[in-house]
Amino acid sequence: MRGTAAREHAGCVTRYGETGRTPPERQPDRAAPGAAHTGALPPTELDLVLSQAAVSAIEAVGGYAGGVYLRAPDEGLLRLAVLAGLPSRLFRPWWRMHVNRPFPVAEAYRLGRAVHLAGPEDAIRRFPQLMAGLPFPFGSLYVPVAGGGERFGVLAVLRRATTGRAVDDGDRHRIHTVARRLGAALGALHGRGHRVQWEGEPLAVQLPAAMTPPVRTGCFTWDLTTGTVAVDEGMAAIIGLAPEEFGGTVEALTDGLAPEDVLGVWALARQTVDAGRTASRRIRLPGPDGRPYLLELSGSGPGVPLAGFVLDLGVAPIIAELTDRVPRGVLSLDRLGRIVHLNQGAETLLGRGRPELAGRVLWDVFPWLGRPTYEDHFRAALISHAPVTFVARQAADAWISLSLYPGHDGVTVGLLRADGPGDEQPRLPGELSATAVEAFPSGTAAAPGPPGTPEGQAAAFYRPVALAIALTEAMTARQVSRVVTEELLPAFGGGMLAIYLLQERHLFLAWETGFPQGFLDRFDGVALDARLPGVEALTLGRPLFFESMPRLAAAYPGIPLDAHVGARAFLPLIASGRPVGSCILGFDRPRGFTPEERTVLTALAGLIAQALERAQRYDSEAALARGLQDALLPHRLPVLRHAATVGRYLPGTQGMEVGGDWYDVVETGDSIALVIGDVQGHGVSAAATMGQLRSAVRAFALSGHDPEEVMSGTNRLLIDLDPGQFASCCYVVVDPATGRVQAVRAGHPQPLLHRPGGGAEVLDLEGGIVLGVDATADYPVTELRLESGAVLALYTDGLVERPGVDIDIGVERLRALFAECGALPLAGTADRLIRDARAATDRADDIALLLASRWD
């Protein structure tokens, strides 16, 4: 009996935390793309496109997991839309990603270029915060997805780390090909009116299984009198022949079996015939490839041919029998965390039977395995593909040692009863212990474990590290507060946060989330002599913890309470001995605070205080720079005959929030000079340099110099000042009476011209290099005529630059928008051109816009 092998590829979509069920309170509107939906509804076209791309990308580069991030409705936010090959629950902290965070997904989207990380050495050098959260050896590839002029998201694949070499060109080409196809498919959906965004939880996708032969069946008849055998197509396939190639004898049927198995088949046949009545008997035979086959013979007496039936059992019976014989519990999970198989030993240790557990997600049926460090061990095994051993607390006095052995299709878990957290079993070479994994923990989900346990120690190590890394990137008080909300609340399972800052011996509310609307207003601006826990935590210099609201009410009689009944923690924010403010953490339910938690929260409060103090200094400098810039920009533009001008300025919304962009209109006799420029960099120095350049251009213009002399003189002045900065500039002189224009550029974007008959074009002005680089640079002048009713638009690059998009695309988008403005008034045109930029919350650069029109 010959065996054959076949390849099977099938990826199936599994939803809603890998259980196939959506809790009633989370049933979404199916019309919202990317929202989780009930298992009864078919997947949308977007679901299928994303799932196929994720699976194809993983297979293309030999990965074991991957997914697709899509832009969210919230500006500047990406959401994980599809996750293939990993349990989504374990990766909840990475479901949302702001495009400005220092992670490879965000960088790939923001800059529009791929990020390839061969292993942990690359990752920790370029993205330390990624490795703080996932400190395991793995390689990863991230490719932006775009199509039809739109950026949709990022395609990501995780795979085994490669040491000492970069990602090879073949893998780069293959994953880029998948990303281009995905971009084209999403672009087509977008073109048909589909909203290509993601709002809900990620879809989970099961990866195709490793190549195993399929389970098959076959039938035959056997005439013992003549010795002839007839087979059907199924039986012929099992034997490995076409039906017409089968020899028709029992020898052809049993070819390839061991002699003892051939004798067993003959004995079975004789027993069936000798029964003297209708009877069936079975025998299990190993095929040439070692796979078991079940052969059944049925007969109704002597002289009647036997009917045979053969079932290819696959490897399941071997696995079941093997695991039931070993003296330890064995549990098999797929890569989405669902229980595929467990032996009798696992049933005994876990106290649950196979029918109850099969197909269920491990953490759903055993919540005690959902503690942060235990989840971290599973992350370590799934991502690093290295075995991991740890001890988990099953109950108050019950411990189980778990050994995780990961593979392409899932994780095999070995279970043994343990005496306590230090009772680890002997490990295989290369196997990681719990201690090794805890050296770089990353759990961020639920509350930490009991004091002294591995999960408590790991959480105590991770939280200050992760929060400290994130706080180093926060520059304003608002950004610090947002980081605390995103990093601290989930780590401790909190739902409410309030931050008060100290100003002139009063505490003012700077940030709140989770509290009933308006509840905290009554505490805004309280003096330091008020008897309130947030005030006394700061004045006493020590944190205050209350396990429940009744405890808080007993300590502070008469204090207003909100509707929540849970615990509260009041943390003093003190930096280098200087009081900064107070932080309040709120919980929905009563809970205690272990000594380890109190220590961690006190340490975190110090980090938050230092970040807020730095942010306040930063805010002060930003306010100074803003005031300087406001003073240097023109407060009003001149009223002119035969001409009108309108200017707009928008500061950036990131970082210092002030830059060196400027515009100006200078009356020079019968003409007007339109000026726009952009000093490289941000902050006080950029604003100061901008003021010097604006004054220089104005002075040269009022002295009667021609455009080339104005630009050359300003260039030499900037080099003489040597501020360590350079600037771009566009200088246009217009005679309103005749429409004659003389224009000169120094590395600045080309102006736009809207003609009175309709339509807009990008002008082609000659130009020189940016100011401040070469004292001998030439700045040629271009002459043209401005028709009556025409509008000239000068702007800085912040208006046309977008992360990951070529600037020419941005210029063309602005030109098309300018062309649509038609007969709008000049002020209305200016507002329309900057409307989208004004609405953006993550604008990296400031924007200046100057419009001018003339009439006869």
Side-chain angles (χ1 to χ4, degrees):
M1 193 179 300
R2 300 177 182 88
T4 60
R7 295 180 63 178
E8 289 186 317
H9 280 276
C12 68
V13 176
T14 308
R15 305 177 185 282
Y16 329 117
E18 297 79 56
T19 64
R21 296 179 294 277
T22 302
E25 68 274 14
R26 301 189 64 180
Q27 295 292 339
D29 178 3
R30 189 66 181 99
H37 46 78
T38 64
L41 292 172
T44 67
E45 186 176 359
L46 177 61
D47 297 345
L48 296 176
V49 166
L50 296 175
S51 302
Q52 179 184 353
V55 172
S56 298
I58 293 168
E59 291 183 333
V61 298
Y64 54 75
V68 180
Y69 281 85
L70 286 185
R71 57 191 182 186
D74 299 333
E75 185 72 23
L77 188 67
L78 300 175
R79 281 189 177 274
L80 183 60
V82 163
L83 180 61
L86 290 173
S88 64
R89 170 197 168 111
L90 297 187
F91 296 86
R92 182 180 293 271
W94 295 272
W95 285 6
R96 299 168 65 255
M97 183 70 61
H98 197 279
V99 296
N100 290 318
R101 296 298 300 277
F103 286 88
V105 168
E107 180 171 302
Y109 181 85
R110 186 176 65 250
L111 301 181
R113 60 171 180 253
V115 175
H116 302 125
L117 304 175
E121 295 82 4
D122 283 352
I124 201 165
R125 184 180 68 253
R126 297 179 56 186
F127 303 98
Q129 192 159 330
L130 171 68
M131 297 310 294
L134 295 172
F136 316 118
F138 66 96
S140 51
L141 300 92
Y142 310 85
V143 182
V145 176
E150 293 286 333
R151 288 174 300 139
F152 296 112
V154 175
L155 178 66
V157 172
L158 305 184
R159 64 180 192 172
R160 293 176 185 259
T162 57
T163 304
R165 60 187 179 88
V167 176
D168 64 62
D169 291 339
D171 287 338
R172 294 171 188 255
H173 172 74
R174 284 186 286 272
I175 192 171
H176 281 252
T177 299
V178 177
R180 283 195 298 271
R181 290 173 180 168
L182 175 58
L186 295 180
L189 285 174
H190 180 73
R192 299 204 305 268
H194 291 267
R195 187 158 55 95
V196 184
Q197 294 180 334
W198 204 261
E199 298 180 63
E201 298 181 1
L203 300 180
V205 181
Q206 178 72 303
L207 291 178
M211 311 315 166
T212 56
V215 175
R216 297 157 297 177
T217 60
C219 297
F220 64 93
T221 58
W222 181 5
D223 189 335
L224 292 180
T225 304
T226 63
T228 59
V229 176
V231 300
D232 68 355
E233 290 185 1
M235 190 69 209
I238 291 176
I239 297 172
L241 298 173
E244 61 273 12
E245 295 175 339
F246 180 65
T249 65
V250 69
E251 289 77 14
L253 179 69
T254 58
D255 183 28
L257 293 181
E260 59 269 27
D261 294 323
V262 174
L263 291 175
V265 171
W266 275 103
L268 184 73
R270 291 298 181 185
Q271 285 183 314
T272 304
V273 172
D274 292 346
R277 53 182 174 79
T278 300
S280 296
R281 299 186 65 83
R282 299 174 179 175
I283 185 173
R284 195 163 74 190
L285 302 170
D289 58 357
R291 289 156 54 86
Y293 293 82
L294 181 68
L295 185 149
E296 179 180 292
L297 290 175
S298 299
S300 55
V304 179
L306 297 175
F309 174 81
V310 173
L311 173 64
D312 176 356
L313 297 173
V315 297
I318 298 177
I319 295 173
E321 291 183 8
L322 174 64
T323 58
D324 279 338
R325 294 173 190 147
V326 299
R328 68 186 300 182
V330 176
L331 188 71
S332 179
L333 309 175
D334 67 13
R335 289 195 65 88
L336 302 183
R338 295 173 300 193
I339 299 172
V340 177
H341 171 76
L342 69 159
N343 70 349
Q344 295 175 358
E347 288 183 303
T348 301
L349 281 172
L350 298 174
R352 310 280 280 274
R354 299 183 198 185
E356 181 184 2
L357 297 179
R360 302 285 302 280
V361 176
L362 180 68
W363 301 276
D364 288 348
V365 289
F366 299 113
W368 52 273
L369 279 174
R371 293 172 180 165
T373 303
Y374 301 164
E375 290 186 344
D376 208 51
H377 298 322
F378 282 96
R379 272 194 292 269
L382 287 164
I383 292 180
S384 69
H385 274 228
V388 176
T389 293
F390 65 98
V391 176
R393 184 196 291 270
Q394 183 183 19
D397 56 351
W399 297 81
I400 292 181
S401 173
L402 295 92
S403 296
L404 312 180
Y405 303 101
H408 179 273
D409 292 331
V411 180
T412 298
V413 184
L415 306 170
L416 279 176
R417 184 67 65 193
D419 295 332
D423 185 22
E424 291 192 11
Q425 303 301 316
R427 297 186 300 278
L428 297 174
E431 185 173 343
L432 299 176
S433 69
T435 305
V437 176
E438 285 155 14
F440 301 97
S442 66
T444 61
T453 63
E455 61 270 24
Q457 297 164 3
F461 178 87
Y462 169 73
R463 287 168 185 147
V465 173
L467 186 59
I469 292 174
L471 286 175
T472 59
E473 300 154 9
M475 291 177 287
T476 68
R478 186 173 184 83
Q479 290 171 343
V480 171
S481 301
R482 184 179 296 113
V483 166
V484 175
T485 301
E486 294 174 353
E487 299 285 351
L488 187 60
L489 280 185
F492 284 87
M496 292 158 277
L497 173 73
I499 293 179
Y500 287 84
L501 295 179
L502 181 64
Q503 296 178 19
E504 298 180 354
R505 298 188 57 80
H506 288 74
L507 288 173
F508 293 93
L509 183 62
W511 179 274
E512 66 169 306
T513 183
F515 285 93
Q517 185 174 3
F519 173 76
L520 296 177
D521 292 347
R522 70 198 73 190
F523 305 110
D524 194 14
V526 296
L528 291 185
D529 57 358
R531 190 172 187 276
L532 293 170
V535 174
E536 293 192 348
L538 180 62
T539 56
L540 296 175
R542 59 181 177 84
L544 301 176
F545 298 95
F546 299 95
E547 290 80 3
S548 65
M549 293 300 278
R551 293 284 185 92
L552 175 60
Y556 292 87
I559 186 174
L561 303 177
D562 60 70
H564 297 90
V565 297
R568 294 289 186 272
F570 297 85
L571 309 176
L573 302 179
I574 301 174
S576 303
R578 293 184 296 275
V580 177
S582 291
C583 177
I584 305 173
L585 292 179
F587 302 84
D588 292 332
R589 294 186 297 273
R591 57 160 292 172
F593 296 91
T594 66
E596 285 84 357
E597 287 180 307
R598 294 174 185 239
T599 300
V600 170
L601 284 170
T602 303
L604 294 179
L607 293 176
I608 296 167
Q610 291 176 357
L612 284 171
E613 185 182 49
R614 184 182 67 249
Q616 287 177 318
R617 291 197 301 267
Y618 200 87
D619 288 340
S620 297
E621 184 180 352
L624 174 63
R626 176 61 46 75
L628 175 61
Q629 186 179 48
D630 289 344
L632 293 174
L633 286 172
H635 291 177
R636 62 181 180 83
L637 297 180
V639 178
L640 307 165
R641 291 187 59 193
H642 302 294
T645 57
V646 169
R648 294 288 187 267
Y649 175 80
L650 290 178
T653 57
Q654 299 176 16
M656 187 60 98
E657 298 187 359
V658 65
D661 290 21
W662 91 94
Y663 65 86
D664 201 357
V665 178
V666 184
E667 293 184 87
T668 59
D670 295 331
S671 300
I672 58 171
L674 309 175
V675 190
I676 196 161
D678 184 0
V679 177
Q680 167 262 334
H682 294 80
V684 174
S685 61
T689 302
M690 177 269 284
Q692 292 171 315
L693 290 183
R694 179 183 176 231
S695 298
V697 172
R698 176 172 280 269
F700 283 124
L702 291 174
S703 299
H705 291 81
D706 62 38
E708 192 280 333
E709 292 172 335
V710 170
M711 198 64 73
S712 297
T714 305
N715 175 48
R716 289 191 295 270
L717 175 65
L718 182 58
I719 292 174
D720 291 341
L721 292 173
D722 192 21
Q725 294 169 311
F726 55 85
S728 67
C729 185
C730 186
Y731 181 82
V732 179
V733 177
V734 181
D735 184 342
T738 65
R740 180 172 180 260
V741 173
Q742 292 180 294
V744 62
R745 286 191 314 119
H748 200 81
Q750 295 278 9
L752 302 179
L753 177 63
H754 189 292
R755 298 194 180 277
E761 63 182 274
V762 181
L763 294 179
D764 185 16
L765 306 183
E766 289 189 75
I769 63 173
V770 293
L771 306 175
V773 175
D774 181 5
T776 63
D778 293 326
Y779 297 98
V781 176
T782 301
E783 294 197 9
L784 60 143
R785 184 177 181 276
L786 192 63
E787 302 173 75
S788 178
V791 180
L792 191 64
L794 285 69
Y795 56 90
T796 55
D797 55 12
L799 187 59
V800 293
E801 281 188 332
R802 288 189 181 182
V805 179
D806 190 280
I807 191 171
D808 290 339
I809 296 176
V811 172
E812 173 57 25
R813 183 183 290 114
L814 181 65
R815 184 207 62 77
L817 186 60
F818 192 30
E820 295 172 1
C821 292
L824 282 177
L826 206 58
T829 299
D831 292 336
R832 179 67 186 89
L833 294 181
I834 67 167
R835 186 176 67 186
D836 292 342
R838 188 187 296 278
T841 59
D842 61 341
R843 196 168 51 253
D845 201 359
D846 43 353
I847 293 169
L849 172 69
L850 180 61
L851 302 183
S853 65
R854 67 166 293 268
W855 58 89
D856 292 334

